[in-house]
Amino acid sequence: MASLQSLLKPVSHPLISPTEFFYDFQRPLRFARLLSLSVHESRNSRQLSSRGFRIRSSIADTIGHSSDAPVLSSSEVLERLRASRENLESQQQFLAMYSSVFGGITTDPAAMVIPIDDHMVHRGHGVFDTAAIVDGYLYELDQHLDRILRSASMAKINLPVPYDRETIKRILIRTVSASKCRNGSLRYWLSAGPGDFQLSSSGCYEPSLYAVVIQGKPPSHPKGIKVITSSVPMKPPQFAIMKSVNYLPNVLSKMEAEEKGAYASIWLDNDGFIAEGPNMNVAFITSDKEFLMPHFDKILSGCTAKRILTLAEQLVKEGRLRSIRCENLTMEEGKKADEMMLIGSGVLVCPVLQWDEQIIGDGREGPLAQALLDLLIEDMKSGPSTVRIPVPY
């Protein structure tokens, strides 16, 4: 295993200024393709402030009819991107981005773009993963790296040349360092890369690596939530176990829940067994204090869920849990549980108080879900070096 010093050594991927981004004529092929999409486009037009809306309206008025659309210079494109982004009332703040396309890191949100002919954009041929940043440490980065590499292999995405696992790891750490972020998340993608608009990736000249650092808050204790049973078909196992960017079923499942006043939807597999949520695993505490979680053979192998399985052993030693098992559960069995919880890097351990019309347990946050959350937060803040990597700011 590589030493900590080797992982933290400087990498030859500098901070890129907006000027360098748009005027690096040493790589004309790459930059000619950067008629691009912002990685942090608002997910909801209602997030626009009144000022931001006026700016967009002004741009629309300037363009007028499609025949009047102006041809913009690179500097004008950057100026308009910056004006648009500065006036978005987004819940997320993007602090730094790495791109193998321009070979460096930018801290200017207006320059956090990807080529529109990248096959991840128009074909969904890409995989991704996320690691939490907690008090200046990256949590479970190695575990998430292992998973994205497995996903990339399943998606037939090679690593960009000359990248290998350790190089990618150093780049990710360097990106967090450049962002100055001490609490948040690091999200990163491996893509088939830019090239054309064909179906196959055979025309892509090389795969791409992207990473973005998102400002966040220290881990906290979430309140109990309501979930529903999803009517959106879940992905077949071949795709469910791969963390790809093909998330339309997940998106529709989440939106279905929100439309019905719930936090998330729960999928059942083709055999009627409980599967997972749109981006989290699900677990239960039975009346005889067994901790149960569905098998990972048809669903995504959650890094946080697997860590919880390990941490839960402490509760067994204390006599608060009788056993820990992964097994198939029906919806009826799940709804009869004393406690139910969603588990994932975004929600940590979130108690479920109601599933459809069924109240779970006594309808309050259960003590064992809270105990598991406490163990996870403690692990994120002071766990072993196998799960925590310091960021050299």
Side-chain angles (χ1 to χ4, degrees):
M1 180 177 293
S3 66
L4 180 61
Q5 289 76 15
S6 67
L7 294 177
L8 301 185
K9 69 182 182 181
V11 293
S12 56
H13 296 285
L15 288 171
I16 301 295
S17 70
T19 301
E20 291 173 313
F21 176 81
F22 281 100
Y23 293 101
D24 186 348
F25 294 111
Q26 301 300 315
R27 287 171 284 190
L29 176 61
R30 294 186 178 189
F31 288 95
R33 299 180 185 279
L34 289 175
L35 294 173
S36 50
L37 301 176
S38 168
V39 299
H40 63 287
E41 180 69 44
S42 172
R43 294 186 178 182
N44 192 317
S45 60
R46 290 175 296 180
Q47 292 177 331
L48 289 171
S49 67
S50 59
R51 181 183 175 195
F53 181 79
R54 288 196 300 272
I55 287 176
R56 285 180 178 265
S57 298
S58 176
I59 293 174
D61 292 340
T62 300
I63 294 174
H65 299 292
S66 59
S67 60
D68 299 325
V71 177
L72 304 175
S73 68
S74 297
S75 59
E76 288 173 321
V77 170
L78 180 60
E79 181 181 352
R80 291 193 178 199
L81 282 172
R82 185 174 289 119
S84 175
R85 299 301 176 256
E86 286 177 351
N87 289 278
L88 286 176
E89 291 182 346
S90 175
Q91 295 181 356
Q92 295 186 325
Q93 183 179 0
F94 305 95
L95 304 180
M97 175 192 180
Y98 174 83
S99 170
S100 63
V101 173
F102 54 78
I105 300 166
T106 179
T107 57
D108 183 352
M112 296 179 186
V113 295
I114 58 177
I116 199 170
D117 63 343
D118 191 305
H119 276 230
M120 183 170 70
V121 175
H122 64 86
R123 296 301 182 194
H125 196 176
V127 296
F128 77 101
D129 224 302
T130 307
I133 307 165
V134 182
D135 296 340
Y137 284 77
L138 276 160
Y139 184 68
E140 286 204 299
L141 177 60
D142 283 307
Q143 291 80 358
H144 286 276
L145 265 175
D146 290 340
R147 186 170 65 179
I148 195 175
L149 293 178
R150 289 196 303 270
S151 295
S153 177
M154 287 186 282
K156 298 185 178 180
I157 298 173
N158 298 319
L159 294 183
V161 178
Y163 297 71
D164 57 18
R165 186 188 187 281
E166 295 308 309
T167 300
I168 292 174
K169 184 174 181 177
R170 289 196 298 271
I171 289 171
L172 295 180
I173 294 172
R174 166 64 174 148
T175 304
V176 177
S177 176
S179 75
K180 311 297 184 187
C181 179
R182 302 193 68 87
N183 286 285
S185 60
L186 168 69
R187 181 162 296 204
Y188 43 98
W189 297 259
L190 284 168
S191 162
D196 54 34
F197 289 94
Q198 301 302 316
L199 185 60
S200 168
S201 62
S202 59
C204 298
Y205 54 87
E206 65 179 6
S208 298
L209 168 68
Y210 305 106
V212 171
V213 178
I214 306 167
Q215 181 68 53
K217 298 178 180 179
S220 60
H221 289 70
K223 295 181 179 180
I225 59 166
K226 174 186 175 181
V227 298
I228 64 169
T229 305
S230 180
S231 67
V232 178
M234 69 177 291
K235 290 178 279 192
Q238 179 183 357
F239 299 103
I241 64 174
M242 181 196 317
K243 197 169 179 68
S244 76
V245 299
N246 292 285
Y247 255 46
L248 186 56
N250 311 64
V251 170
L252 295 178
S253 177
K254 174 71 170 176
M255 292 178 68
E256 177 186 35
E258 293 173 344
E259 290 165 358
K260 296 183 178 181
Y263 179 80
S265 296
I266 304 299
W267 270 315
L268 306 179
D269 66 23
N270 290 335
D271 297 317
F273 293 116
I274 298 169
E276 60 184 341
N279 63 341
M280 67 284 288
N281 293 100
V282 60
F284 302 87
I285 306 291
T286 67
S287 58
D288 57 356
K289 299 299 179 281
E290 282 192 295
F291 180 67
L292 303 179
M293 190 180 295
H295 288 293
F296 296 124
D297 56 343
K298 298 179 181 179
I299 61 176
L300 186 68
S301 177
C303 293
T304 305
K306 292 170 71 175
R307 186 61 180 166
I308 284 290
L309 288 172
T310 298
L311 296 174
E313 294 173 2
Q314 179 62 34
L315 300 184
V316 175
K317 293 178 182 179
E318 296 173 0
R320 302 180 67 182
L321 281 178
R322 187 167 69 85
S323 63
I324 302 167
R325 289 190 292 125
C326 288
E327 69 170 36
N328 292 326
L329 288 167
T330 65
M331 179 171 62
E332 290 73 21
E333 291 171 328
K335 289 183 175 182
K336 292 178 181 178
D338 276 5
E339 297 185 40
M340 176 181 178
M341 63 204 79
L342 302 181
I343 301 174
S345 59
V347 297
L348 301 184
V349 180
C350 185
V352 176
L353 309 186
Q354 182 177 339
W355 185 355
D356 294 329
E357 303 307 317
Q358 177 68 48
I359 300 299
I360 303 298
D362 60 5
R364 295 180 294 179
E365 287 89 350
L368 293 176
Q370 292 296 313
L372 289 168
L373 177 60
D374 290 339
L375 287 172
L376 180 62
I377 292 177
E378 180 183 356
D379 196 55
M380 298 175 82
K381 290 179 173 290
S382 58
S385 59
T386 53
V387 295
R388 297 173 75 242
I389 296 174
V391 177
Y393 294 101

